[in-house]
Amino acid sequence: MAADGSVTASVYGRYASALFDLATEQNELATVEQQLIDFQGLLDESPDLQRMINSPVFSSEEQAQALQAILAKAGTSGTTANFFNLLAQNRRLFVIPDIIKTFRMISAESRDEVSAEVTSAVALTDEQTQALTETLTKTVGKDVILDLKVDPDILGGLIVKLGSRMVDSSLRTKLTSMQVGLTKSAA
């Protein structure tokens, strides 16, 4: 098992570790990881799918049926599909996002890589992505894999989460800090 004790102590950590171990044993690590990334993309794009995995109103059978249809349409099969079906049976679909995140962290760690979650107001260009990757790689001393997200609410700048560290240089945070400073000085 590649993960440290604090991660594997959680429910999602135990599931992610078990899936990682199984995928490694079956020599399907790359396939499983890609299918998890694809499923996360579906989750990010579909509020209905998010509601389905989070809602206690649906029975485990209803969740399993809906999930099977989604997985079939997405081309998810084998170990990953079986794993999702197990989660549906155990009423644990709500932890899928945490499992995916933890699985990717464990997988990256096994390759001596680190993942960085980068949020920007607009999509980064290929040149910006490459420059950011190179800068973070030099800083950390390991290969860095970027998980890029776009959130127009940050207005500008970047938010970079690398492990337990976070650098928030977003315009929204800077404006909020200025507002708090002005409020305190006016009082």
Side-chain angles (χ1 to χ4, degrees):
M1 196 164 0
D4 67 15
S6 63
V7 170
T8 57
S10 63
V11 170
Y12 60 85
R14 288 191 301 271
Y15 276 110
S17 294
L19 180 59
F20 177 82
D21 290 344
L22 182 62
T24 301
E25 283 175 20
Q26 296 182 349
N27 201 26
E28 296 180 351
L29 189 58
T31 301
V32 169
E33 186 169 13
Q34 187 57 55
Q35 289 178 344
L36 291 176
I37 290 168
D38 293 345
F39 191 81
Q40 183 64 55
L42 294 174
L43 272 175
D44 292 343
E45 295 171 4
S46 174
D48 290 336
L49 180 55
Q50 291 172 24
R51 271 191 296 283
M52 191 272 296
I53 69 165
N54 288 312
S55 177
V57 173
F58 298 106
S59 70
S60 61
E61 293 81 24
E62 290 170 326
Q63 285 180 323
Q65 285 178 337
L67 190 62
Q68 285 175 356
I70 293 165
L71 295 176
K73 193 164 190 153
T76 303
S77 60
T79 302
T80 311
N82 291 339
F83 179 74
F84 281 139
N85 289 326
L86 174 70
L87 292 173
Q89 289 171 3
N90 293 343
R91 306 279 300 157
R92 296 281 190 251
L93 289 181
F94 65 93
V95 293
I96 285 176
D98 291 325
I99 290 171
I100 293 171
K101 188 175 187 176
T102 304
F103 182 95
R104 292 187 67 198
M105 181 189 72
I106 294 168
S107 185
E109 193 176 286
S110 76
R111 294 186 302 266
D112 201 29
E113 299 173 344
V114 292
S115 294
E117 185 178 304
V118 178
T119 305
S120 58
V122 295
L124 298 178
T125 65
D126 290 341
E127 294 81 22
Q128 291 169 326
T129 302
Q130 183 177 351
L132 182 58
T133 302
E134 289 171 4
T135 301
L136 291 173
T137 298
K138 287 177 188 172
T139 303
V140 177
K142 292 183 177 185
D143 288 336
V144 176
I145 305 301
L146 299 182
D147 180 14
L148 302 173
K149 298 183 185 301
V150 175
D151 180 2
D153 291 340
I154 72 168
L155 303 176
L158 296 174
I159 299 172
V160 179
K161 295 178 187 173
L162 186 65
S164 62
R165 293 183 281 177
M166 182 173 91
V167 176
D168 186 344
S169 65
S170 67
L171 186 54
R172 179 182 64 194
T173 299
K174 289 179 181 180
L175 289 172
T176 301
S177 296
M178 287 175 59
Q179 182 182 19
V180 169
L182 289 173
T183 304
K184 284 182 180 179
S185 65

